[in-house]
């Protein structure tokens, strides 16, 4: 009963993050950094989406991979539903596939590293999961090879200087992917702060049950 109640909290948090990210991805970041016009490569959704990995990792730490997968699948249903109402089918397919694969990989990596130093599991889980998420989303959404998901976006596949500043050129979606993953790495590092602060409060359920048993 306790597990179900807390899992529901994580489901609600994941739903909030997914909804917020779907809304904020429509708003470019109006700023400039080192001569790079960030509005050309980033949206505000890039900053909120990585919080999903924090929620997955906290669920995994407290209740294990089975509960974490339930939270991920709940977010997947919400995300795909919203995407099909607010975006083109190809973007919806890319978004849902990347989210699901990235989050499930995060759970797998986290479980392998959970008995090592406290920061390793959440850091490497989120970074490796984010890498897969980024590669899958931008490839499925924009790479000409995946045209069977939907028509290509001429602007996305048009060549331009990487990040708008380098002499080397590439399809624009490559710059979007680089900018997106850079933000995910940065936010992933920042998310270690709340994870570290909460890990002493959100103990693994086995430890919580042992304390209850010892006190009765």
């Amino acid at each position: 009963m306790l597990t179900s109640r807390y899992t529901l909290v994580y489901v609600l948090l994941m739903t909030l993050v997914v909804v917020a990210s779907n809304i904020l991805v429509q708003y470019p970041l109006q700023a400039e950094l080192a001569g790079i016009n960030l509005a050309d490569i980033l949206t505000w959704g890039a900053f909120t989406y990585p919080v999903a990995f924090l929620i997955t990792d906290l669920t995994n730490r407290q209740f294990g991979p089975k509960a974490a997968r339930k939270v991920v699948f709940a977010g997947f249903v919400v995300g795909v539903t919203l995407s099909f109402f607010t975006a083109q089918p190809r973007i919806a397919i890319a978004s849902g596939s990347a989210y699901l694969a990235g989050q499930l990989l995060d759970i797998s990596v986290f479980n392998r590293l959970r008995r090592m130093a406290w920061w390793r599991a959440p850091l490497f889980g989120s970074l490796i999961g984010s890498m897969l998420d980024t590669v899958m989303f931008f490839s499925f959404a924009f790479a000409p090879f995946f045209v069977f998901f939907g028509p290509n976006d001429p602007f996305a596949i048009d060549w331009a200087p990487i990040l708008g500043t380098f002499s080397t050129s590439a399809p624009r979606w490559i710059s979007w992917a680089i900018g997106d993953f850079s933000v995910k790495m940065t936010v992933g590092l920042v998310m270690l702060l709340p994870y570290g602060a909460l890990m002493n409060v959100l103990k693994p359920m086995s430890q919580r049950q042992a304390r209850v048993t010892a006190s009765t």
Side-chain angles (χ1 to χ4, degrees), residues 6-213:
Y6 276 91
T7 302
L8 179 60
V9 172
Y10 285 122
V11 168
L12 293 175
L13 289 173
M14 181 65 82
T15 300
L16 179 63
V17 170
V18 170
V19 171
S21 298
N22 271 270
I23 294 173
L24 292 175
V25 76
Q26 304 173 60
Y27 297 94
L29 178 62
Q30 300 294 340
E32 186 173 312
L33 178 65
I36 301 173
N37 184 6
L38 298 182
D40 291 339
I41 59 173
L42 285 176
T43 69
W44 285 103
F47 293 87
T48 56
Y49 180 78
V51 179
F53 289 98
L54 172 64
I55 296 170
T56 300
D57 291 344
L58 289 174
T59 310
N60 201 349
R61 170 179 168 75
Q62 192 171 12
F63 299 112
K66 185 176 180 179
R69 292 188 188 100
K70 289 181 180 179
V71 171
V72 166
F73 283 120
F76 171 76
V77 171
V78 173
V80 170
T81 301
L82 286 175
S83 294
F84 272 105
F85 278 107
T86 61
Q88 298 175 358
R90 181 171 178 175
I91 300 298
I93 293 170
S95 177
S97 302
Y99 165 85
L100 191 60
Q103 293 294 326
L104 292 179
L105 180 59
D106 173 41
I107 292 172
S108 178
V109 173
F110 187 99
N111 283 333
R112 289 180 177 272
L113 303 178
R114 69 189 308 153
R115 290 182 175 83
M116 301 178 71
W118 71 268
W119 54 270
R120 288 180 181 268
L123 178 61
F124 287 104
S126 62
L127 289 184
I128 295 174
S130 293
M131 184 181 299
L132 178 62
D133 178 282
T134 301
V135 171
M136 285 187 63
F137 174 75
F138 285 96
S139 297
F140 284 10
F142 303 114
F145 178 81
F146 294 100
V147 67
F148 50 84
F149 286 145
N152 290 320
D153 181 343
F155 184 77
I157 62 177
D158 190 27
W159 284 56
I162 294 178
L163 299 179
T165 59
F166 291 92
S167 57
T168 304
S169 294
R172 284 192 175 91
W173 67 268
I174 297 292
S175 293
W176 300 344
I178 293 172
D180 183 82
F181 184 63
S182 298
V183 170
K184 287 176 180 174
M185 285 196 301
T186 303
V187 177
L189 290 170
V190 173
M191 287 297 101
L192 287 177
L193 297 177
Y195 181 92
L198 291 171
M199 64 180 293
N200 291 323
V201 177
L202 303 176
K203 298 285 188 181
M205 182 51 67
S206 58
Q207 295 183 21
R208 294 171 64 93
Q209 291 173 336
R211 286 186 179 184
V212 171
T213 302

